[in-house]
């Protein structure tokens, strides 16, 4: 779908081995918030992304895997998932080349840079808003087509798509 072509934090790793641009975790959502805190809240990333895709004819179930850009996560020595404050500074960037048409919905974490993060009924306060940082999005159109001279469109997987639902034909 896309190729990462620039990343100022590509080599970042914390003391435990956590990295930025998380695919390990998911996004916070109102369902887990209700379960953990007993309170409703509609401005987690899941809800933000749901609102962002609605004008394109998509619905909540179309929000699936996320790329948590600049978010530091990992598994600790006990195998437990953890999040750490974001190390990004002004000027850091994550740049990719879209190899197909993409709809990218963006939500900045309502927990900000995660330096004041928390779950449950006694956590998550206005202090979290104090550590929110702005993001900029720039979209470029290639004007020098020679940059694509050796590029090829991604190939489709040759998998038949049967998922074991059709009986195979056995040759005797």
């Amino acid at each position: 779908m896309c190729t990462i072509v620039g990343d100022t934090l590509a080599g970042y790793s914390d003391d435990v081995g956590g990295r930025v641009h998380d695919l390990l975790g998911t996004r916070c959502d109102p369902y887990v918030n209700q379960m953990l805190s007993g309170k409703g809240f509609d401005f987690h990333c899941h809800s933000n992304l749901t609102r962002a895709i609605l004008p394109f004819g998509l619905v909540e179930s179309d929000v699936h895997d996320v790329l948590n850009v600049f978010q530091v996560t990992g598994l600790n020595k006990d195998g437990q998932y953890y999040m750490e404050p974001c190390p990004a500074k002004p000027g850091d960037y994550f740049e990719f080349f879209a190899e197909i048409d993409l709809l990218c919905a963006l939500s900045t974490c309502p927990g900000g840079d995660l330096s004041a993060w928390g779950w449950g009924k006694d956590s998550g306060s206005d202090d979290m808003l104090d550590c929110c940082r702005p993001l900029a999005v720039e979209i470029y159109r290639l004007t020098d087509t020679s940059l694509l001279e050796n590029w090829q469109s991604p190939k489709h997987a040759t998998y038949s798509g049967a998922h074991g639902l059709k009986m195979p034909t056995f040759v005797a």
Side-chain angles (χ1 to χ4, degrees):
M1 295 193 311
C2 70
T3 300
I4 299 168
V5 296
D7 179 3
T8 56
L9 295 174
Y12 177 85
S13 180
D14 68 9
D15 295 339
V16 184
R19 308 275 315 255
V20 293
H21 315 318
D22 165 52
L23 287 170
L24 178 64
T26 183
R27 72 249 165 231
C28 298
D29 63 58
Y31 307 101
V32 173
N33 188 85
Q34 183 76 38
M35 183 176 59
L36 294 176
S37 72
K39 298 177 184 175
F41 185 71
D42 290 327
F43 298 96
H44 290 294
C45 286
H46 180 81
S47 298
N48 295 346
L49 296 172
T50 298
R51 288 190 308 278
I53 66 169
L54 288 175
F56 298 93
L58 301 171
V59 296
E60 180 182 13
S61 61
D62 292 311
V63 175
H64 48 88
D65 298 336
V66 295
L67 171 61
N68 293 315
V69 179
F70 297 123
Q71 194 169 57
V72 177
T73 63
L75 297 176
N76 66 20
K77 63 181 176 54
D78 298 320
Q80 297 168 317
Y81 179 78
Y82 71 91
M83 300 183 298
E84 291 291 330
C86 171
K89 304 286 183 235
D92 282 331
Y93 63 89
F94 179 82
E95 184 175 16
F96 63 87
F97 172 69
E99 299 193 29
I100 61 174
D101 289 340
L102 297 176
L103 172 63
C104 296
L106 182 70
S107 172
T108 56
C109 180
D113 66 9
L114 300 181
S115 62
W117 183 251
W119 276 107
K121 62 182 177 185
D122 297 325
S123 61
S125 67
D126 289 340
D127 294 341
M128 288 171 57
L129 296 177
D130 293 338
C131 65
C132 287
R133 308 285 181 254
L135 288 178
V137 175
E138 297 178 9
I139 301 171
Y140 303 100
R141 183 175 306 280
L142 280 178
T143 55
D144 181 0
T145 56
S146 70
L147 294 171
L148 298 176
E149 191 173 291
N150 294 316
W151 179 80
Q152 294 180 353
S153 181
K155 302 215 181 324
H156 292 281
T158 58
Y159 174 65
S160 68
H163 299 285
L165 298 174
K166 296 179 188 174
M167 287 299 296
T169 303
F170 295 100
V171 179

